[in-house]
Amino acid sequence: SGQTATTLVLSASEVGDTIKYTKTATNTAGSGSATSAASAVVIAAGGPVAVVGTPARQNATSFAYTVDAAADCLLVLAQWVDVGAVTVSAMTYNGVAMTRLAAAGVQSNSSGLYLGCDLWYLTSPATGSNTLSATFSGNSFTPSLGAIAVENFGSFGTSSTNSAGNPPGSATITAGGVTTSATGIIVGGVSVSQNSDNTYTVGDSGTNHWNVADGIALGRIIGATVPGTGGSVNFSEVQGGASPWNQGWVATSIPVNP
């Protein structure tokens, strides 16, 4: 209160307040004032989106996952490399239904395997250890569930998915470009049928939170985060190893903005 300037730069002292302004006009006939309606309550600006707690993954249709007290959004990657076409019809955490953000699937033309990577989310998840559960159908092998919790979530950007059933021999697997916030992150996953000695490095200074052989021969499951840049980022995994090759892959990514 008591500000007399024509502009007001909000600071921590205004958090929790509402803002009104009074305008006074004066001419030869006199002066008059009018006061605006109150603004919405001023809230503190959030910090950058960041992973909190420990991301975790299991070959299971359900497992107990601990959400950090600071988390305001839970993201889950459902991934598989299987001999049949697999679908995910539902996902819950602590019994609360989650929402699908993106899905990618392909059948490898050379190995005949089916590969998939779905991305689900839940805002304001229950904190502490609770059951993460998914409903799969069509699977012959146990699929993978992987969880990543973040803080300072505000919105999602547009997701990107990509796949190759008959890869051209490229050393890079990519979900494609997504537009990011400078203080956001990208969450992404890859399911690949590949050479057993392949290695994978996520691009753009990202972090692979899991990078493990799947339950079926030649299968590998990867979940990662990449920092936002304020521009376009091409979520990717670069193959390495003595003789890197693959027989098909799918990739999914989503920007998570404050």
Side-chain angles (χ1 to χ4, degrees), residues 21-58:
Y21 68 88
T22 299
K23 184 174 183 180
T24 301
T26 302
N27 59 23
T28 56
S31 62
S33 299
T35 301
S36 70
S39 70
V41 173
V42 177
I43 60 174
V49 176
V51 174
V52 291
T54 304
R57 185 215 70 92
Q58 290 188 21

Side-chain angles (χ1 to χ4, degrees), residues 31-123:
S31 62
S33 299
T35 301
S36 70
S39 70
V41 173
V42 177
I43 60 174
V49 176
V51 174
V52 291
T54 304
R57 185 215 70 92
Q58 290 188 21
N59 279 105
T61 57
S62 67
F63 71 96
Y65 178 67
T66 300
V67 171
D68 188 273
D72 50 22
C73 185
L74 174 64
L75 295 107
V76 173
L77 286 158
Q79 298 169 274
W80 60 90
V81 179
D82 209 306
V83 295
V86 179
T87 58
V88 188
S89 57
M91 184 87 65
T92 62
Y93 181 71
N94 192 37
V96 179
M98 303 183 70
T99 301
R100 192 194 319 261
L101 279 168
V106 72
Q107 181 180 14
S108 166
N109 295 340
S110 50
S111 69
L113 298 175
Y114 291 80
L115 304 98
C117 183
D118 283 14
L119 185 56
W120 297 67
Y121 81 99
L122 176 66
T123 57

Side-chain angles (χ1 to χ4, degrees), residues 76-255:
V76 173
L77 286 158
Q79 298 169 274
W80 60 90
V81 179
D82 209 306
V83 295
V86 179
T87 58
V88 188
S89 57
M91 184 87 65
T92 62
Y93 181 71
N94 192 37
V96 179
M98 303 183 70
T99 301
R100 192 194 319 261
L101 279 168
V106 72
Q107 181 180 14
S108 166
N109 295 340
S110 50
S111 69
L113 298 175
Y114 291 80
L115 304 98
C117 183
D118 283 14
L119 185 56
W120 297 67
Y121 81 99
L122 176 66
T123 57
S124 303
T127 59
S129 179
N130 296 285
T131 300
L132 172 65
S133 181
T135 302
F136 290 87
S137 60
N139 55 297
S140 298
F141 293 83
T142 305
S144 169
L145 289 179
I148 299 173
V150 301
E151 64 178 348
N152 298 319
F153 165 76
S155 64
F156 293 110
T158 302
S159 64
S160 181
T161 62
N162 200 5
S163 64
N166 187 18
S170 169
T172 300
I173 294 172
T174 177
V178 292
T179 302
T180 67
S181 162
T183 54
I185 63 172
I186 300 165
V187 174
V190 169
S191 302
V192 58
S193 171
Q194 44 97 63
N195 192 355
S196 60
D197 69 353
N198 277 17
T199 62
Y200 294 90
T201 303
V202 64
D204 296 291
S205 303
T207 300
N208 278 340
H209 297 290
W210 55 86
N211 177 7
V212 296
D214 195 36
I216 189 171
L218 304 179
R220 181 160 288 271
I221 300 297
I222 304 167
T225 54
V226 175
T229 64
S232 180
V233 174
N234 195 17
F235 177 83
S236 63
E237 293 280 348
V238 180
Q239 291 183 144
S243 54
W245 57 267
N246 70 73
Q247 300 179 101
W249 52 264
V250 294
T252 303
S253 67
I254 188 84

